[in-house]
Amino acid sequence: MGFQAKVLTVSDGVIAGTRIDSSGASLRERLEALGYEVVEQRVVADGKENVSEVLLEMSNGFAGLIVTTGGTGFSKRDETPEGTLAVLERLAPGVSEAMRLVSPLGRLSRGVAGVRGDTLIINLPGSPKGAIESIAAVEDILDHALSLLLDYHSKHPNSDASQASR
């Protein structure tokens, strides 16, 4: 269907120039391979207020997917979930739960997912491997979720199977 996406990297290190934004670049590449038009890619310092402010800016008037990478762990500055929760209108806990199951380290992620307006926002881990594993865990439902969110009349992914079993 060709949805739009945005990528937000949350990292004090990338902001300071001591780290390269490998996760943001990997996510952009993966989303484009899935057919998304990545219309924006940004970096913000860690912290609840920083994250919530930028997510508000990025989601205002936007219809599509925003993925964040970084700030979902246990360090003191990892406040991406808190900043995201400050802007979400509705949670999508099944998305977060599916991503946590992809690996043992995934269970350490505090990332959340949910909706603000016409935007689905998903927190991903900060490592390139963790970010890609996590998005891969839910990529099969993303188009359908966005179709529902944007009130597109898409065919339910299980409609043929459910009709055949009746």
Side-chain angles (χ1 to χ4, degrees):
M1 182 162 282
F3 293 105
Q4 291 187 333
K6 297 181 179 186
V7 177
L8 175 63
T9 299
V10 182
S11 171
D12 288 338
V14 173
I15 289 289
T18 59
R19 280 194 190 153
I20 295 173
D21 183 14
S22 301
S23 296
S26 295
L27 282 169
R28 179 185 196 108
E29 183 178 304
R30 178 62 169 242
L31 290 169
E32 288 174 343
L34 292 171
Y36 288 82
E37 177 190 6
V38 178
V39 295
E40 185 176 1
Q41 186 172 347
R42 287 170 99 172
V43 179
V44 68
D46 285 289
K48 177 182 175 179
E49 290 78 19
N50 294 333
V51 171
S52 63
E53 182 179 308
V54 172
L55 283 175
L56 285 172
E57 290 173 13
M58 291 177 79
S59 62
N60 280 341
F62 178 67
L65 173 67
I66 296 176
V67 294
T68 70
T69 178
T72 62
F74 288 97
S75 79
K76 301 258 188 267
R77 295 277 294 155
D78 286 341
E79 295 180 330
T80 299
E82 290 77 12
T84 304
L85 286 170
V87 304
L88 291 179
E89 297 164 351
R90 297 181 289 154
L91 293 175
V95 174
S96 309
E97 293 162 8
M99 292 187 304
R100 279 191 257 286
L101 295 175
V102 295
S103 75
L105 290 178
R107 294 189 300 266
L108 295 175
S109 174
R110 299 181 316 102
V112 297
V115 172
R116 177 175 189 269
D118 290 332
T119 306
L120 174 60
I121 301 172
I122 301 175
N123 296 156
L124 303 169
S127 74
K129 182 179 185 224
I132 295 302
E133 284 178 345
S134 295
I135 199 70
V138 297
E139 65 189 26
D140 61 334
I141 56 90
L142 290 178
D143 284 357
H144 186 61
L146 288 167
S147 292
L148 291 170
L149 178 63
L150 301 174
D151 201 26
Y152 295 163
H153 298 286
S154 69
K155 187 175 177 183
H156 191 279
N158 293 328
S159 62
D160 290 337
S162 65
Q163 294 299 324
S165 66
R166 290 185 181 184

